[in-house]
Amino acid sequence: FIQTLNQAFFMSLFFLIAAYFVPSSLEKRGAMKFIKDRLFRLGVPTLIFMFMIFPAMEKMINPNLDLAEFYKNGILSLDFLTWTGPLWFAVTLLIFSIIYVPFNNLFVRLANKYSFTVTVKNVLGLVAVIAITAFSIRLVYPIGTSFVGFQLCFYAAYVFMFLMGIIAYRKNIIESTPYETAKKWFISSFLFGVPLWVLIVSFGVNKTDFPHSPIMGGWNIMAFATALWGSFVCVTMIVGLIGIFRRFLNTQNSLQKFLSTNAFAVYCFHPLVVVATSLLFKNITLQPIVRFIIVVLISVPLSFIFASLIRKVGFLRKLFA
């Protein structure tokens, strides 16, 4: 329940934030330098994960694994395309960024021509567009399926929030949206989103065959309700969080600076730390939730410490800046 609520908005928020900085970077560097920079900053970390971190995790989980055979089979079968792990985000962001380049001038004209203020009409319109697109995609790729490691069932929100990040930069939406407006949308996200999700789960989940539940996708009302719910939570939660953080957390002390500086390196390397920590507690007799809490308390700070050490290496420091 909590994971699904989180999934509805958090990765879409990351795409919006990342896209916010795309236009200025593109105009500062020019098309070719921008693409080269994206290939370096997003492509190289992905390759490091695919061919170093992912095999290392597989070896930790299965000590008897023959790495040479693993690489050979993975490359010949093209399974290596699914070794991206959490770096699917970097790959997707790279693709989105490159596709955007030839459309930059179009977005400049659109931003000058249309109003994109945070009104009820605009917010609900965006919710509807994302919901219809998500429902349509899930007719082919239901929730729980993937295409070479990419869960296309969630990509409707990712695409539109990436575009909204660019528009937010062009129209100064983040700075100009009043806190009171953001707060109302944040409250509505919980006020309507949580009860609606309870109803959807109650009537749309097949408890004996969960993977084939109606909410996963298909031509049925519960699949559309799920898409509509996810889109509503996505848009309203993002509007609310941006307004709240801008009002109360628009600061950076030394700890916050350390965390933000190392965040991308943590994103890339944390699976190593999490898997290693989890394996230490594999045979300890504790309730799963207790082991989960212990692993979290150990692996989160350890991931940041590990990332900070990784970034002391010259080439890696520049890569994970």
Side-chain angles (χ1 to χ4, degrees):
F1 184 92
I2 295 173
Q3 182 181 6
T4 307
L5 186 66
N6 197 35
Q7 170 65 47
F9 73 91
F10 85 109
M11 289 308 304
S12 300
L13 175 57
F14 290 164
F15 278 109
L16 183 144
I17 294 172
Y20 184 85
F21 298 97
V22 165
S24 59
S25 179
L26 174 58
E27 289 160 9
K28 178 182 177 181
R29 291 179 169 85
M32 291 310 299
K33 286 186 178 180
F34 171 78
I35 292 174
K36 288 179 181 178
D37 176 72
R38 296 297 86 188
L39 286 170
F40 176 72
R41 293 291 302 277
L42 299 172
V44 175
T46 301
L47 292 175
I48 290 174
F49 187 94
M50 291 172 68
F51 294 104
M52 295 178 66
I53 299 176
F54 186 85
M57 289 192 301
E58 292 291 325
K59 184 68 174 178
M60 283 193 293
I61 295 169
N62 181 13
N64 297 322
L65 178 69
D66 184 334
L67 281 177
E69 194 69 17
F70 177 78
Y71 279 114
K72 178 183 176 181
N73 292 336
I75 292 172
L76 291 177
S77 66
L78 300 182
D79 277 351
F80 74 92
L81 295 174
T82 66
W83 296 355
T84 51
L87 270 293
W88 69 265
F89 172 74
V91 177
T92 303
L93 186 57
L94 175 61
I95 294 170
F96 285 1
S97 299
I98 292 175
I99 291 175
Y100 170 74
V101 170
F103 297 100
N104 184 50
N105 291 333
L106 174 62
F107 269 80
V108 172
R109 293 195 296 272
L110 286 174
N112 292 333
K113 186 176 181 180
Y114 297 102
S115 170
F116 291 94
T117 53
V118 182
T119 63
V120 173
K121 178 182 177 181
N122 287 343
V123 169
L124 295 184
L126 181 59
V127 169
V129 170
I130 295 175
I132 293 170
T133 307
F135 174 74
S136 301
I137 292 173
R138 291 170 191 175
L139 293 174
V140 182
Y141 292 101
I143 296 173
T145 63
S146 64
F147 175 76
V148 290
F150 300 100
Q151 295 185 329
L152 299 182
C153 52
F154 299 121
Y155 267 63
Y158 301 161
V159 170
F160 282 104
M161 281 303 156
F162 180 85
L163 298 178
M164 287 308 303
I166 293 168
I167 292 171
Y169 170 80
R170 294 291 181 198
K171 301 297 289 186
N172 202 32
I173 293 175
I174 292 177
E175 292 79 3
S176 62
T177 301
Y179 163 70
E180 290 300 326
T181 299
K183 183 175 72 172
K184 290 176 182 176
W185 285 115
F186 183 74
I187 293 172
S188 72
S189 185
F190 285 96
L191 193 63
F192 297 105
V194 173
L196 180 58
W197 184 235
V198 171
L199 289 173
I200 291 172
V201 170
S202 299
F203 294 100
V205 171
N206 188 335
K207 295 178 177 59
T208 59
D209 188 13
F210 179 76
H212 296 97
S213 296
I215 66 170
M216 298 302 191
W219 195 261
N220 66 80
I221 189 64
M222 297 311 302
F224 183 76
T226 302
L228 183 61
W229 167 84
S231 303
F232 179 81
V233 171
C234 173
V235 177
T236 56
M237 185 70 76
I238 288 174
V239 171
L241 286 175
I242 289 175
I244 291 170
F245 270 69
R246 194 194 68 207
R247 175 74 174 268
F248 297 105
L249 295 167
N250 194 19
T251 60
Q252 189 176 68
N253 57 33
S254 57
L255 175 60
Q256 291 168 324
K257 183 175 178 59
F258 171 80
L259 296 176
S260 63
T261 300
N262 290 287
F264 185 54
V266 168
Y267 189 75
C268 296
F269 289 97
H270 80 271
L272 277 177
V273 179
V274 173
V275 169
T277 308
S278 299
L279 288 173
L280 291 176
F281 291 89
K282 180 180 178 181
N283 297 317
I284 296 178
T285 306
L286 289 170
Q287 289 293 326
I289 188 64
V290 175
R291 281 191 290 180
F292 168 75
I293 293 171
I294 293 172
V295 169
V296 167
L297 291 175
I298 294 173
S299 60
V300 170
L302 202 59
S303 292
F304 277 93
I305 293 170
F306 183 68
S308 66
L309 295 175
I310 288 289
R311 292 185 63 256
K312 291 185 182 297
V313 180
F315 168 74
L316 295 178
R317 182 178 182 83
K318 184 179 179 181
L319 186 61
F320 295 104

